[in-house]
Amino acid sequence: MQPQAKYVVLGLLSNRPMSGYEIKKHFEGNFSFFFDASYGSVYPTLNKLEQEGFISKTTIRQEDRPNKHEYELTPSGKQLFESYLRSPLLEDSIRSDLCMRLYFGEFADERTVVEWIETGIRRHEDTASTLRGIREQFKERMSMAQALSLQIGIDYHQNICTTLLQGLEQMKTHWDSKPKEE
C-alpha cells in the first residue's frame, strides 16, 4: 500500500504555499517514481482537503492569464500531517507487469521472454539514470532523508537490472544446453 494522496499534498504544503499546478508537477515528476497517483487526483484531493479545513485557498489575480489558486496548510492540516508521520509505516507494494509475465514465461517462446527482459533492463536503467540526474540536480538542496529516498530508488532499479541480466544469462545457458528439437 502507499500513502493517500492527501498526505502527500499536506507534506508538500508543509514547506510552503503552492498552486495546484506546482503540486501536480511533483506528482508527475519526482514523486512518480515512488508514488502512484495521477494528475486527476490532485485537484479532487485539494478540494476535499479545503472542504475539511486542512488547507486554505487564496486566489491570486493575474493579468492575461487565469487566476491562480495558491493553497496553504492550516493548523489542523499541520496536525493531520504530523499524525501521518507518526503513524505506522504501510507495507511497500511492488506491481510489475514484467514479473507477472516472467512468472508465466513458460507459456511464451524464448525470444519473447528475452524481449521482455531486455525491455525491462532498458526501462530500469533509464529510471535509475533519471533518479541519478535528479539527485545531482538537487543534491545541494536535499535533506539527508530526501537523498536516502532517492538512493533507495536508484539502488532498487539498478538491482532489478543486475538481477535481470543474471537471469538472462542463466536462461540463455539453459536454453543452449537443451537438446535441439528436430
Side-chain angles (χ1 to χ4, degrees):
M1 278 177 104
Q2 64 180 10
Q4 295 176 1
K6 71 179 180 181
Y7 297 119
V8 177
V9 169
L10 292 172
L12 285 169
L13 294 177
S14 292
N15 288 319
R16 64 179 174 83
M18 298 177 120
S19 69
Y21 177 78
E22 291 172 297
I23 292 168
K24 177 183 82 72
K25 285 299 189 192
H26 280 281
F27 273 59
E28 292 173 345
N30 299 352
F31 289 171
S32 68
F33 298 101
F34 306 106
F35 182 70
D36 188 24
S38 67
Y39 161 76
S41 66
V42 172
Y43 290 100
T45 300
L46 287 168
N47 288 334
K48 187 169 173 57
L49 287 169
E50 183 184 14
Q51 289 172 1
E52 294 173 346
F54 296 119
I55 62 173
S56 61
K57 176 173 71 176
T58 303
T59 301
I60 301 167
R61 300 207 181 278
Q62 303 184 106
E63 289 185 30
D64 301 328
R65 299 165 108 181
N67 292 338
K68 177 180 172 179
H69 301 292
E70 196 168 74
Y71 299 90
E72 186 172 8
L73 213 53
T74 63
S76 61
K78 183 176 166 70
Q79 283 181 325
L80 180 62
F81 181 64
E82 288 171 354
S83 70
Y84 161 69
L85 292 177
R86 289 189 306 272
S87 68
L89 286 175
L90 299 172
E91 188 70 33
D92 285 346
S93 69
I94 299 170
R95 295 188 178 116
S96 170
D97 185 44
L98 173 60
C99 286
M100 287 311 312
R101 287 176 191 235
L102 288 172
Y103 187 85
F104 296 111
E106 67 188 279
F107 302 110
D109 61 88
E110 292 170 4
R111 181 179 172 161
T112 300
V113 173
V114 169
E115 287 174 4
W116 293 340
I117 293 170
E118 289 173 344
T119 299
I121 291 167
R122 279 192 309 277
R123 288 180 180 172
H124 285 282
E125 283 175 343
D126 288 349
T127 302
S129 177
T130 299
L131 291 174
R132 282 191 290 274
I134 291 168
R135 180 184 60 195
E136 192 60 32
Q137 180 181 359
F138 296 105
K139 69 181 174 185
E140 302 300 323
R141 293 180 273 160
M142 265 193 267
S143 69
M144 289 178 70
Q146 289 170 330
L148 179 58
S149 173
L150 269 176
Q151 191 61 51
I152 289 168
I154 292 165
D155 291 347
Y156 168 80
H157 290 285
Q158 199 56 59
N159 287 333
I160 296 290
C161 289
T162 300
T163 301
L164 288 172
L165 285 166
Q166 291 170 348
L168 185 59
E169 288 305 312
Q170 290 170 352
M171 286 180 179
K172 286 181 176 179
T173 300
H174 173 74
W175 292 330
D176 290 344
S177 69
K178 283 177 24 181
K180 302 293 178 207
E181 295 178 11
E182 295 183 38

PDB file of all heavy atoms in Angstrom, residues 4 10 29:
ATOM      1  N   GLN A   4      -1.991   7.859   1.172  1.00  0.00           N
ATOM      2  CA  GLN A   4      -3.040   8.522   0.411  1.00  0.00           C
ATOM      3  C   GLN A   4      -2.507   9.841  -0.134  1.00  0.00           C
ATOM      4  O   GLN A   4      -1.629  10.471   0.451  1.00  0.00           O
ATOM      5  CB  GLN A   4      -4.246   8.773   1.300  1.00  0.00           C
ATOM      6  CG  GLN A   4      -4.915   7.510   1.771  1.00  0.00           C
ATOM      7  CD  GLN A   4      -6.045   7.817   2.739  1.00  0.00           C
ATOM      8  OE1 GLN A   4      -6.347   8.956   3.042  1.00  0.00           O
ATOM      9  NE2 GLN A   4      -6.676   6.767   3.231  1.00  0.00           N
ATOM     10  N   LEU A  10      -0.380  17.385   1.776  1.00  0.00           N
ATOM     11  CA  LEU A  10      -0.102  18.068   3.041  1.00  0.00           C
ATOM     12  C   LEU A  10       1.402  18.204   3.261  1.00  0.00           C
ATOM     13  O   LEU A  10       1.879  19.244   3.735  1.00  0.00           O
ATOM     14  CB  LEU A  10      -0.748  17.333   4.209  1.00  0.00           C
ATOM     15  CG  LEU A  10      -2.280  17.340   4.254  1.00  0.00           C
ATOM     16  CD1 LEU A  10      -2.792  16.414   5.360  1.00  0.00           C
ATOM     17  CD2 LEU A  10      -2.822  18.744   4.427  1.00  0.00           C
ATOM     18  N   GLY A  29       6.472  14.399 -11.523  1.00  0.00           N
ATOM     19  CA  GLY A  29       7.927  14.395 -11.601  1.00  0.00           C
ATOM     20  C   GLY A  29       8.539  13.433 -10.613  1.00  0.00           C
ATOM     21  O   GLY A  29       8.383  12.214 -10.722  1.00  0.00           O
TER      22      GLY A  29
END
